[in-house]
Amino acid sequence: MKYLITGGAGFIGSHLAEELLQDGCQVSVLDDLSTGSIRNIQQLKADSNFSYTIGSIMDLPLLAELIDDADAVFHLAAAVGVRRIVDDPVQTIVTNIRGTENVLEQADKKKKKVLLASTSEVYGKSAQLPFHEDGDIVIGPTCRPRWSYACSKAIDEFLALAYDKSRDLPTVIVRLFNTVGPRQTGRYGMVIPRFVRQALADEELTVYGDGEQTRCFAHVSDIVEALRKLMQHPQGRGKVINIGSQEEVTINQLAERVIARTGSQSVIKRIPFDVAYSADFEDMERRKPCLEAARQIIDYAPRRNLDVIIDDMAAYCRENPE
Ligand code: UDP
């Protein structure tokens, strides 16, 4: 099998490329390096089953050629990170909506299966925990730019499901919850790489808001294994499936855990959301997935807990100073 990964030089995409190559597949990557990096795929270049193209999902002829040349597409290219969404909402909306339209349109011509990487952001501030794929979506008003991300990814999901149902294009939609691991950068907001680098430098850990909001963090290795299996399993077709972890922590607990595991002298500093992001910023209080669908289809259960995640991130940050 030959897979095209859009966004394959990104944090998750590059780990997925490795996972597929290890599984004996051929991998082709398309990435515009907006948030991805050649460094992420440097170690793969020597593999004869691997190829990459620097380019955009907005370039239709290029996209058509790469999709033609592949058996199936992992569509991971998207605007990423809360920081980037707040700073460049136009880019977020256009990349997510037009980019996904392009991928689905081109894949449909040759009926190449598409796995769409969606996000737990889609649940917005729903209070129906744990988040179930069939649960209602609760997002805020359009004057708060953060919700453009959730909304644009929800449109992507609608479109993928519509292609599957009315055009018979095989699709599978995976809602990724907070994913962490080596190669992830804190530049676009992600809390664990930020806390780990702050802790290793004995700097203050920047907890936003009161720190009582919760998240569940999953290791990227568990995530990419699940992506591969969901693409390859026929029962994933036409479905929306959560992937992540259920180990829920508050951001305050997370900060304390990072300090303890890295042996840091750091202290915690609380920063109001309006100072960290902008006056119109809104955060979600809790986020936890129901993982029953993934368990039923691919027998999914994350194997790496939060301590392993923090230790792996710390080892990576020690070896790769920013
Ligand atoms: N956060 C924080 N300090 C930081 C970066 C993020 O307290 O330096 C918080 C953020 O406000 C959110 C949580 O950590 O409540 C997770 O943030 P992240 O951007 O990693 O992912 P999100 O779940 O918001 O998409």
Side-chain angles (χ1 to χ4, degrees), residues 81-83 85 119-121 146 149 177-180 184 186 188-195 198 205-209 211-217 251-252 254-255 269 271 273 276-277 281-285 287:
V82 174
R83 164 64 53 208
I85 291 151
T119 165
S120 56
E121 278 274 327
R146 178 183 190 148
Y149 184 63
F177 283 66
N178 294 65
T179 303
V180 191
Q184 188 176 34
Y188 311 112
M190 279 70 168
V191 67
I192 292 192
R194 287 175 56 79
F195 279 4
Q198 288 165 344
L205 266 64
T206 53
V207 169
Y208 297 162
E212 286 305 297
Q213 68 273 34
T214 72
R215 296 292 187 271
C216 303
F217 297 93
I251 300 305
N252 286 325
L254 175 68
K269 180 186 181 186
I271 301 177
F273 283 118
Y277 290 114
F281 187 80
E282 227 182 322
D283 202 28
M284 47 282 289
E285 280 172 23
R287 181 186 277 165

Side-chain angles (χ1 to χ4, degrees), residues 1 3 5 8 11-27 29 40-41 43-44 47 50 74 183 219-232 298 303-304:
M1 281 292 274
Y3 292 106
I5 309 177
F11 154 57
I12 299 177
S14 62
H15 283 278
L16 176 62
E18 264 172 11
E19 164 82 16
L20 293 168
L21 289 166
Q22 274 163 22
D23 197 44
C25 305
Q26 284 181 278
V27 174
V29 155
N40 289 343
I41 52 172
Q43 74 289 2
L44 305 179
D47 192 323
F50 178 76
F74 286 92
R183 296 186 211 134
H219 195 289
V220 68
S221 300
D222 286 327
I223 297 298
V224 296
E225 186 185 335
L227 291 177
R228 175 179 63 73
K229 288 181 175 170
L230 285 170
M231 169 66 105
Q232 293 169 348
I298 55 164
R303 282 180 286 154
R304 297 157 183 90

Side-chain angles (χ1 to χ4, degrees), residues 246-308:
Q246 291 188 313
E247 190 181 350
E248 192 176 11
V249 284
T250 68
I251 300 305
N252 286 325
Q253 289 165 341
L254 175 68
E256 278 156 19
R257 193 94 75 97
V258 168
I259 290 171
R261 292 202 75 82
T262 54
S264 170
Q265 302 299 310
S266 295
V267 294
I268 291 170
K269 180 186 181 186
R270 295 219 165 67
I271 301 177
F273 283 118
D274 58 339
V275 176
Y277 290 114
S278 60
D280 52 16
F281 187 80
E282 227 182 322
D283 202 28
M284 47 282 289
E285 280 172 23
R286 283 183 72 194
R287 181 186 277 165
K288 181 180 180 178
C290 164
L291 297 173
E292 198 43 35
R295 194 192 62 73
Q296 275 177 20
I297 299 173
I298 55 164
D299 199 22
Y300 173 77
R303 282 180 286 154
R304 297 157 183 90
N305 65 20
L306 185 60
D307 287 342
V308 172

